[in-house]
Amino acid sequence: MMYAMIEQTARRLREGSVTSRMLTEDALSRIRERTAMGAFITVCEEEALRMAEEADRRIAEGNAPLLCGIPMSLKDNIVTAGIRTTAASRMLADFVPPYDAFVWEKLRAQGAVLLGKTNMDEFAMGAGGETSAFGACRHPQDDRFVPGGSSAGSAAAVADGQGMYSLGSDTGGSVRVPAAYCGIVGVKPTYGRISRRGLIAFASSLDQIGVLACSVADSAAVLAAVVGSDILDSTSADRGVDFLPFSGDVRGMRIGVCPALYEKCDPAITEMMRCAETEMKTRGASLTEITLPDADRAYAAYYLISACEASSNLARYDGIRYGYAAENPADTADMFRRARACLGDEVKRRLLAGACALSADERGEAYDRASRTRRVITEEMRTVFDSCDVIMIPTTPSSAYPVGAMAAQTLAYRQSDAFTTIPSLAGLPALSLPGGKSDGMPLGIQLIAPAFGESFLFRCAEVVEEAMAYEH
């Protein structure tokens, strides 16, 4: 497997040529050097060093799992007991959770070393990493550009060597878009493959925890460590690790391609996709031209559903039960007003849109229409997979854009995830991996598989990774 950094590092840890403490100190030093990039909201230096020392003891005893001693990070909407979790919002600026998220329970049991909580778009609402109340995150290669969002800090940290992997969340593309922009691998598994317990909710029927890593092999190894059913999450599926081992072999595999999408892309992305198609044929796959559900229709349904669910989920932040509590409010209305003032403009826009769609005048009809559209899109995707095993399309229509460039272009800003919302609506697994560069900035190829088809996804992704390898 190419670029299996985790496996190679684990071998070095067991051979004694390096220690977890050494790796952790190096990562923490890198984080300090690159503070201006804004990848982290909270750095857990003392906790990380303590975890590293425990990992070294465990490795010395000879019973350590693969991820033991490997430094990593968590997006700051994944709760961690005793460690501040803010969702990048002033509303939760001082929130210290009393319990761990399911995924951190799993990783902590493996001996993972938590470096800190990464920056993100506030409450995961954004596609560039610019809406955080703690300051925008910048691209690791060029600070004039965004790293993508909403899992901005997670992608930027991994791409910059600030830890070997990170967990983020993906609602409509929030793992895959920053992975594409930063030139790393980002995996959104099938909805339900990973428990959402302890993930601060944005849109519950769409939210899914995902993995950001430097390679396909690394992302598969991390995913294997955090999957599983959870009695406290009724949407989690009891599928286990049915995607390992996988072989990088696409002979006989049917790859669905959609050239109609290229008309919406930068020329460099079209060239990248044509090259990828040629490489897949060379390696024994067959190409099938497919028609995907209309991207504009999918995005409209996604935006309405996510806004409605966000409006419902964030209603709890009223200053009484959760969130910022105003001191000496004049009355209840004043308390609500001052509490909600903690929310950023992008969050307010989405909450207002959702509240309007669910208002008495609408009676939820808009949400119902969007939900019907979602069911149609899900069925259309099932039909598409009758003729192919994996779909291969661009992750985004272009490479990363300059910081602030989209401030006055709200629609264009949101269309960064125009190609990632369809698998999110259908609950399908999808993966973005590096495919090339345009003017020095990374481009991403997106692979989509049928529900619980992660084995197809990784099998194809490893071949694409080898075929389209470039200097990271």
Side-chain angles (χ1 to χ4, degrees), residues 25 187 244 270 328 336 358:
E25 288 176 340
V187 181
L244 290 179
T270 300
N328 303 316
F336 288 165
L358 295 173

Side-chain angles (χ1 to χ4, degrees), residues 47 130 152 179 190 193 251 299 313 325 377 392 431 438 444 459:
E47 294 91 338
E130 298 180 275
T190 306
R193 176 71 86 166
R251 285 175 294 182
Y299 189 81
N313 278 323
I377 288 171
M392 184 171 69
L431 178 153
S438 175
R459 175 182 162 194

